[in-house]
Each structure stands twice: as C-alpha cells, then as structure tokens.
Amino acid sequence: MRYIKKHAVVFFFLAESLVLAFFQTLGNTDRLWNYVFAENIASGLLPYRDFNLLQTPLSCAINAVFLSVFGHHMIVIDLLGGILFTCICMLLYRLCRTLGASRITSLVIPQFFLMLFCYNVFFEYSCLILFLQLLLLKEDLFALRGQNKAYERPAYQFLLGVAAGLTVLCKQTFGLFVAAASWLCGLYVLCCLKKDRKESCKLLLARAAGVLCVGLLFLLYLFGTGTFDDFWDMAVAGISTFSSSYSYITLASEKGGYLIACIGAPVLIVVSVIVGLWKRRTLYGQTLLLICFYGFGGLINMYPMANAYHFSVTVMPFLLLIVALLPSSLWHHRLINLVGGAAAAALGCYLVICIPYDTLDDHHLCTTLDQFEGIFISDDMEEDILTVTAYVCALEEDGKTVYILDNRAASYFLPLHEYHKYYDMFLKGNLGTTPPEDLLAAACEEDVIFLLPNSERKEWQYPRAEVNALKEELHKVGSVGEFEVYAVTGEAG
C-alpha cells in the first residue's frame, strides 16, 4: 500500500495513457504507416532498400522488436505508446515540480499533453524525440540548480550524448537540431556554473563523443546491410523532393483555438527570452533561457509541415515557461491549487470517460482482421476492408498486379501480408526517391490494375493532379468499396 501511495502519480498517468491507447479507433494514417514500417522490419525487410522510409529508423525498429515478441498486432505499438506517454507525463510533472509548482498544479500540463495527443497514443518518432528532449532538459536543469552531482563526470556526459544521438536516429532533421541544442545547453550550464575551462572542455567532448558513437554505429549498420546508398538517396538527398507543406498561417486560420495558440506561443517565448536576458545572472533568468534553448532546438519540426500535430510536439517544452515565469508562491496558493485540481480532474474525466464513451458509441473490437485484432473499428470500415481485400485477392489469383493509390492502402494489404514499395504510401513528393508521375508511368507499362479513390482526397499530401491525369489514360472497369477500378488493358480479369 505504501508503494502504491508513493508512486500514485505514475499509476495515475499510466492508467490514463493506456485507456487512451486502447480506445483509439482505426483510421489514423500516421499510426497505420508507423505500424507498417515496424511490421516490415519484423518480417525481415530492410529499411530504405526493401521499403520506403523517409526518417531514420529507431522508433520503427523498437516497435518491430515488440511485434516480434508479442505478436504482429497494431495494439502492441499502441500499448507501447501508452508507456512512452506515461514517461513523458512523468518528465513534465517532475519538471513542473522542480520549477516550483505544487503537486496538484504540476498535474495540469501533463494532463494537457494527453488531451492534445488523445487520438495519437502510439509509439512513433516525434514523441520519442520529445521524451529524450525533456529528459535532457531535466538533467541540465537539475545540474543548473545544483541537484545533479553526477553531471561533472565524463561518463555521465557521454550518456547524455548517447541520449542526444538517439534523437537523430528517430528523425534525422528534428533529432539533429535537438542534439545540437542539447550540446549547446550543456555548454551554457557549465558556463553558468563557472566551471574550470579545461574541465568543461573535457565534459563537452565526452558529450559530443556520445553523439558521434551513436552515429558511427548507425553508419556501421547501413554499410553492414548494404543500404547506405538507399538511405542516402531516400532520407538525405531525396528530402529536397518532398513537396508537401502546411504553413503556420494556415494552421492559425483553421480554428479559433489554433489562432489563440499560434499567437500565444510566440508571445510567451518572446517574453521569456526578454525576461531571461534581463535576469541572466540569476538562476531565474538562466532557467528561462535554458528552457527556451531546448525549445528552439525543436522548432525545425514545424518545417515544412506546421500542422496541429507537429505544433503540439514543438510547443510542449515551451509550456514549461508558464511555470518558470511565475513565482513558486503563486503555484502553492490555495485558490490556484483549487483551480488546478479542478482543471486536472476535468481533463482526467474527459480522457478516461468521454473518449472511451465516444469510441464505444459507434465502434467495436475487431476480430476478423488479424493485424487489427483488439483495435476498435467501425462496421463500415471493417466491411470495406473485407470487401476490398477479397476483390484484390481474386484479381491476384488471376495473375494480376494490383496497386491501391491511397494513403490508407496498407489497411487492405496488411491482411494479405503484402507490401508494395512506394505505392502503398502514395503521396506527394518523396516517400521514396521516385516522384508519383514516374511511378505511374512505370506501372502503366505493365498489366496493372489500379484502385483509385472514388472521391476527392482531402489530405494535402495526396497527389490529386497525378491521379486525375492517370484516370484519363486508363480504362474504368468497375468499382469496389470506396474505390474505382482502372485497368491498363481495359479489363480487370
């Protein structure tokens, strides 16, 4: 009983996160793609060579290990995501406590984080980077406040460098900026602590060595598997062909709440930087600047896709500035604690009551599709998947090659244990090294059957122009589910 009481906050966040993970519904394409990546690795396929992957593969590889151990089901990465979200919540809670908030008010920001991501609780690279980013911030902040005695050991700095290097293995661009910010923050902390220059250099070199060791191991993996050229073409040189974009202004104009957030976040950051520079010789100012430095490292995550999800990931470290700016006495005031407790309770009720109720209202647990077993699915979606997969299976038995040009194509091919490089994530730009028009031209030279959406796709990443042009060149031979069937030769078989 004493153990449960001592770790009550952990169990509280774990219960909320697992509820959100379990009561998600099938339909989130990011979740589907992350599962497909992990499923491919678990099935023995190599990233970049055997399937298209734009980012570095650490999160996918971790998912693949758990799929191999616990079974090839999407619910595995959901529950793993629940554990990751619990860890993020605990880091946010510990940081709020360190910055002066009370036990009750420290619950609000983690609860707000869960609300922002309540429909995206699965194990993926952005939130894994956020976890590592907050972990590194915590260690540097504790050192700045004299609460981390191990900080001055080279071996400890090396481990911090390894953690920073792992962010690069989650996503090369986002992670690289976070890793660079972490190293600079280490330099800043050592300067604030006025450590000996020679000793500081030794510690900083140890931190850099940790990052470099992770990078070296990844390069050895790429050369050892013979996939370095594929990685370079797809995830480095090929990034320039990624044509999808979503501007900050577009995000702000979506909803009133987004507009407030998009204005409020920059104001909070500017005020914090000004106050931090003004009070730079005090622990108060140094704390503000340290949080800002870490937050700035994550801003790259909003380019070129400043959508709501990327914005939410990016803004999380900056929310700690709200706690850091205000005096600790305010966070311990009885009225503030009452308001904070009410807010935390309201958010908790919404997360564990309203969201499950909404899911149960028109969804049921899937039992007919192996990979989606234990996932909530609507009757219409389940029927559509079963109908389309049966149709595709019949065509393939007749010797036909079938491509579904839709960003949800994996929903239909997973039950058939099939994967088509490039085509199963048919999007604008580079989710591979070949643009959509060239892929379609190559496919049309063969006897291929295309299943094309029978309505305009609303996703900004979908290459509508190329698909509409393809329709003009092919013969429509029927329809199935939500798709129109087109053939090169004028018959589907």
Side-chain angles (χ1 to χ4, degrees):
M1 194 65 178
R2 183 181 299 176
Y3 179 84
I4 294 175
K5 185 177 179 180
K6 184 179 179 181
H7 297 89
V9 175
V10 179
F11 291 119
F12 175 68
F13 289 137
L14 179 63
E16 286 187 324
S17 299
L18 292 180
V19 165
L20 294 176
F22 182 69
F23 283 98
Q24 293 177 104
T25 60
L26 188 63
N28 184 323
T29 50
D30 285 322
R31 177 175 165 221
L32 176 66
W33 296 338
N34 276 275
Y35 174 71
V36 170
F37 297 149
E39 175 74 16
N40 287 341
I41 294 175
S43 299
L45 300 182
L46 289 173
Y48 315 112
R49 189 188 72 185
D50 298 328
F51 66 93
N52 49 309
L53 183 65
L54 194 58
Q55 74 268 13
T56 36
L58 179 62
S59 62
C60 306
I62 294 173
N63 278 330
V65 170
F66 281 85
L67 289 179
S68 299
V69 174
F70 296 104
H72 294 222
H73 306 288
M74 183 181 281
I75 190 66
V76 173
I77 74 166
D78 292 347
L79 297 179
L80 187 59
I83 296 172
L84 173 63
F85 274 49
T86 302
C87 295
I88 293 173
C89 286
M90 282 305 302
L91 282 172
L92 290 170
Y93 177 81
R94 288 290 306 277
L95 284 164
C96 288
R97 292 285 290 139
T98 302
L99 294 170
S102 66
R103 282 189 173 90
I104 294 176
T105 53
S106 293
L107 295 172
V108 177
I109 287 181
Q111 294 279 88
F112 185 65
F113 163 74
L114 289 177
M115 190 191 72
L116 286 177
F117 293 87
C118 60
Y119 295 106
N120 295 278
V121 183
F122 59 93
F123 196 90
E124 57 88 42
Y125 66 83
S126 293
C127 284
L128 183 54
I129 291 177
L130 176 60
F131 164 73
L132 293 168
Q133 184 183 21
L134 293 173
L135 178 65
L136 290 163
L137 170 59
K138 180 181 80 71
E139 297 304 314
D140 282 329
L141 182 61
F142 278 29
L144 186 64
R145 291 173 170 251
Q147 300 172 359
N148 191 343
K149 295 180 180 180
Y151 195 80
E152 297 177 26
R153 298 174 185 170
Y156 190 81
Q157 289 292 330
F158 179 83
L159 290 177
L160 293 179
V162 169
L166 292 177
T167 65
V168 184
L169 295 195
C170 296
K171 188 178 183 182
Q172 61 276 41
T173 48
F174 186 8
L176 186 62
F177 277 80
V178 170
S182 170
W183 190 87
L184 291 174
C185 285
L187 171 62
Y188 177 68
V189 169
L190 291 171
C191 289
C192 290
L193 295 175
K194 298 180 180 179
K195 295 297 179 184
D196 176 73
R197 182 175 296 181
K198 184 177 180 180
E199 186 65 25
S200 295
C201 288
K202 184 190 299 184
L203 295 175
L204 290 171
L205 285 173
R207 196 157 179 160
V211 178
L212 293 174
C213 280
V214 173
L216 178 61
L217 288 174
F218 182 56
L219 286 175
L220 289 174
Y221 162 79
L222 292 174
F223 283 114
T225 56
T227 57
F228 177 81
D229 290 340
D230 299 289
F231 167 77
W232 183 267
D233 291 340
M234 193 172 292
V236 181
I239 287 180
S240 62
T241 69
F242 186 77
S243 60
S244 295
S245 62
Y246 200 80
S247 72
Y248 194 77
I249 295 175
T250 303
L251 173 65
S253 61
E254 263 191 49
K255 298 178 183 178
Y258 291 168
L259 177 62
I260 294 172
C262 288
I263 294 174
V267 170
L268 174 65
I269 294 167
V270 170
V271 170
S272 298
V273 170
I274 292 173
V275 174
L277 291 173
W278 181 37
K279 297 284 188 177
R280 63 186 179 276
R281 298 188 185 280
T282 67
L283 179 61
Y284 174 68
Q286 292 164 359
T287 298
L288 290 174
L289 291 176
L290 181 65
I291 296 171
C292 288
F293 291 155
Y294 264 104
F296 292 149
L299 289 177
I300 189 65
N301 189 43
M302 297 197 49
Y303 178 81
M305 303 291 289
N307 58 15
Y309 187 82
H310 288 175
F311 176 78
S312 298
V313 172
T314 304
V315 81
M316 286 313 302
F318 289 119
L319 290 182
L320 296 168
L321 293 170
I322 299 173
V323 183
L325 274 170
L326 300 175
S328 177
S329 57
L330 180 65
W331 295 112
H332 289 265
H333 192 279
R334 181 176 297 179
L335 178 60
I336 297 298
N337 273 267
L338 285 173
V339 173
L347 288 170
C349 289
Y350 173 77
L351 294 172
V352 301
I353 297 175
C354 296
I355 289 179
Y357 178 82
D358 185 53
T359 296
L360 293 170
D361 186 44
D362 54 359
H363 294 80
H364 65 275
L365 281 175
C366 181
T367 58
T368 56
L369 301 164
D370 186 44
Q371 287 88 349
F372 304 136
E373 187 176 353
I375 300 293
F376 282 92
I377 189 173
S378 66
D379 292 338
D380 291 341
M381 180 175 286
E382 184 175 33
E383 181 181 355
D384 179 61
I385 292 175
L386 290 171
T387 300
V388 173
T389 52
Y391 184 83
V392 170
C393 193
L395 288 174
E396 291 180 339
E397 287 177 355
D398 288 338
K400 299 289 184 179
T401 299
V402 182
Y403 293 143
I404 301 177
L405 301 188
D406 185 82
N407 56 8
R408 297 174 294 115
S411 298
Y412 306 97
F413 284 119
L414 276 170
L416 300 176
H417 303 282
E418 294 181 20
Y419 179 81
H420 305 93
K421 188 177 181 181
Y422 305 130
Y423 294 98
D424 284 0
M425 287 181 63
F426 193 69
L427 301 171
K428 289 180 182 177
N430 177 63
L431 288 183
T433 54
T434 309
E437 57 272 21
D438 293 346
L439 286 171
L440 297 178
C444 287
E445 295 177 0
E446 307 171 10
D447 188 10
V448 173
I449 303 298
F450 292 99
L451 271 61
L452 308 179
N454 58 17
S455 60
E456 285 290 330
R457 277 280 166 259
K458 295 181 180 180
E459 293 89 348
W460 58 84
Q461 292 176 279
Y462 192 71
R464 299 183 192 89
E466 289 83 352
V467 171
N468 289 335
L470 177 67
K471 290 181 178 180
E472 300 296 324
E473 302 293 328
L474 302 178
H475 305 277
K476 183 178 178 180
V477 295
S479 62
V480 58
E482 297 182 0
F483 300 97
E484 296 174 345
V485 183
Y486 286 80
V488 176
T489 61
E491 57 180 13

